[in-house]
Every structure is written in structure tokens, then in C-alpha cells.
Amino acid sequence: SQQGEEDPQALSIQEGENATMNCSYKTSINNLQWYRQNSGRGLVHLILIRSNEREKHSGRLRVTLDTSKKSSSLLITASRAADTASYFCATDAGTGFQKLVFGTGTRLLVSP
Amino acid sequence: GAVVSQHPSWVICKSGTSVKIECRSLDFQATTMFWYRQFPKQSLMLMATSNEGSKATYEQGVEKDKFLINHASLTLSTLTVTSAHPEDSSFYICSARDMASGQETQYFGPGTRLLVL
């Protein structure tokens, strides 16, 4: 399977704490994207990082990419209860068709 | 931001019937749409890539005669699950890319939950 791996599978923290999720993938990529999914809902795009970028920020989100290790991390700072969701990384191998291969996901629970 | 809708949001059907799911890009044109399937507590698995005006490209292991895809316009793609069986029960999600914007972001629909009895 080409599917990426994410760890941890589940993460439980208190409000205000930081949450870090890691993603590893198998093939060379054009870009890597992170998505959030609330239970039973569609996906919301969070951030995209290109293969020639190493770090990117968006509000409380910080994403890093290490193409030599084929890995990425998503850091959510000062977490809130509303951040409770599943988080998925997805890689675009740059085939021209924009196909995304999703990781296994991390379920984040932020308790008040 | 770009909006993608799906209809219906949920459907319950009897085994052997066919179910059609619509995916629409509401405020942009999408020459390419994607269909995913997600089982409970699992990740999304790409089923097929839907190209406007041409045949869909299916991923390995996905039966094209069972999951019929039609992308008749730049804003609409449909997925028909033919002769549905209980094992087809799943969460089906579509996505589309705003070609005019040049952005690489895919926008996802809210999903359709299918339950086959």
C-alpha cells in the first residue's frame, strides 16, 4: 500500500497544551497537505507545504517537512476544545492529476 | 473559499438497489473531481479520478462496473453504486480542484453516508 503512516493514532491533551502529529510517506512528492475532519463530516484543508519548503506557519499551525526522511509534522499550539478532530496528512506525488494519498490519521481529543 | 456540495448527505437502501451520489462545485469550475471512500475510523481511500467529458480513471481494486462515475459538466460529477450490498456501506466523499485559481488545494464535499441493508 502507498498509504502514509501517522502517529500517534490517538492523542489526548488539555486545552492550552501543544499537539504534535507526525506523518511518514513512501514516495517522492510534489507537496504534502494537512486536513482536519470532524466526526462524520467532510475534510477541511489546513495547510499545504511544497517539497522545496521546510517549514510553514498558519495561525496556530506549524508544519515541517523533511523530504530526506519522507516525513512531516503538524504542530497545533495553544490547543482548544474546538481543535478536537481527526487530522490527516495527504501527499501529492505530482503525477499531474492531483491524486492525494492520505495517511492513516491522528484522532486528537482536547479536553477543557 | 470554494464550496463543494454532495447530495444526498445520507442514504439507506435495500441490498441490490442502485444509489446515485452527486458532487457539485458551487462557485468554481472543476475539470477534475475525485471520489473517496472512508470506512469507520479509517482513512480516505481514493476510488477514482473523474475527468469532465472523459472516462474516469479507477484505482486498482475498484470495480468500474460497480461504481459508475459520470462527469458531465464542469460543476457536477456523479457516483452510482450499482447493485449495492452491505459491504458497500461506507462514507463516500468527493473533492474538486479550482482549476482557474491555479491553486493546488482540493476542496472536499461534506460526504455521503451510505447504509445498505
Side-chain angles (χ1 to χ4, degrees):
Chain A
S1 168
Q2 295 299 310
Q3 192 173 43
E5 297 280 333
E6 289 185 57
D7 78 271
Q9 288 187 346
L11 180 60
S12 182
I13 60 175
Q14 299 289 319
E15 266 192 326
E17 295 179 339
N18 296 341
T20 300
M21 291 159 262
N22 303 295
C23 166
S24 61
Y25 55 91
K26 299 179 180 179
T27 65
S28 59
I29 62 171
N30 184 45
N31 64 64
L32 184 145
Q33 304 176 37
W34 285 90
Y35 288 85
R36 183 185 74 208
Q37 184 182 36
N38 289 85
S39 181
R41 308 291 292 275
L43 274 69
V44 174
H45 182 263
L46 295 177
I47 197 166
L48 180 153
I49 186 167
R50 293 187 174 81
S51 60
N52 61 353
E53 297 176 308
R54 291 297 167 258
E55 187 170 313
K56 207 162 183 179
H57 297 255
S58 176
R60 294 184 296 113
L61 305 180
R62 172 177 169 257
V63 168
T64 63
L65 178 65
D66 187 335
T67 53
S68 66
K69 296 181 179 179
K70 291 187 169 58
S71 67
S72 174
S73 68
L74 170 67
L75 168 67
I76 304 174
T77 60
S79 63
R80 306 166 181 168
D83 294 328
T84 295
S86 290
Y87 292 81
F88 295 93
C89 66
T91 54
D92 175 3
T95 59
F97 293 104
Q98 273 267 300
K99 288 171 52 172
L100 293 179
V101 177
F102 280 81
T104 49
T106 294
R107 293 194 302 279
L108 174 66
L109 173 63
V110 183
S111 302
Chain B
V3 178
V4 175
S5 71
Q6 280 184 241
H7 178 81
S9 56
W10 60 270
V11 58
I12 301 174
C13 69
K14 293 182 179 180
S15 186
T17 60
S18 294
V19 175
K20 179 185 283 188
I21 302 170
E22 293 185 349
C23 176
R24 293 181 185 272
S25 56
L26 297 185
D27 49 3
F28 65 97
Q29 293 184 332
T31 55
T32 303
M33 291 183 174
F34 302 88
W35 286 96
Y36 297 84
R37 183 167 53 183
Q38 185 181 31
F39 292 106
K41 296 187 178 181
Q42 294 188 24
S43 187
L44 279 74
M45 297 299 293
L46 179 64
M47 299 175 66
T49 303
S50 170
N51 300 296
E52 187 266 336
S54 64
K55 292 182 179 179
T57 302
Y58 291 82
E59 295 300 302
Q60 192 173 7
V62 178
E63 299 176 57
K64 62 180 181 180
D65 294 329
K66 180 166 185 63
F67 299 99
L68 301 179
I69 291 173
N70 187 340
H71 193 155
S73 77
L74 287 172
T75 60
L76 173 64
S77 176
T78 61
L79 167 68
T80 301
V81 183
T82 61
S83 186
H85 291 283
E87 58 265 30
D88 299 323
S89 298
S90 188
F91 193 51
Y92 293 87
I93 307 176
C94 70
S95 71
R97 183 183 167 208
D98 184 348
M99 304 301 293
S101 71
Q103 295 181 4
E104 295 155 288
T105 302
Q106 284 189 27
Y107 297 95
F108 283 78
T112 296
R113 191 164 301 283
L114 170 63
L115 177 61
V116 184
L117 302 177

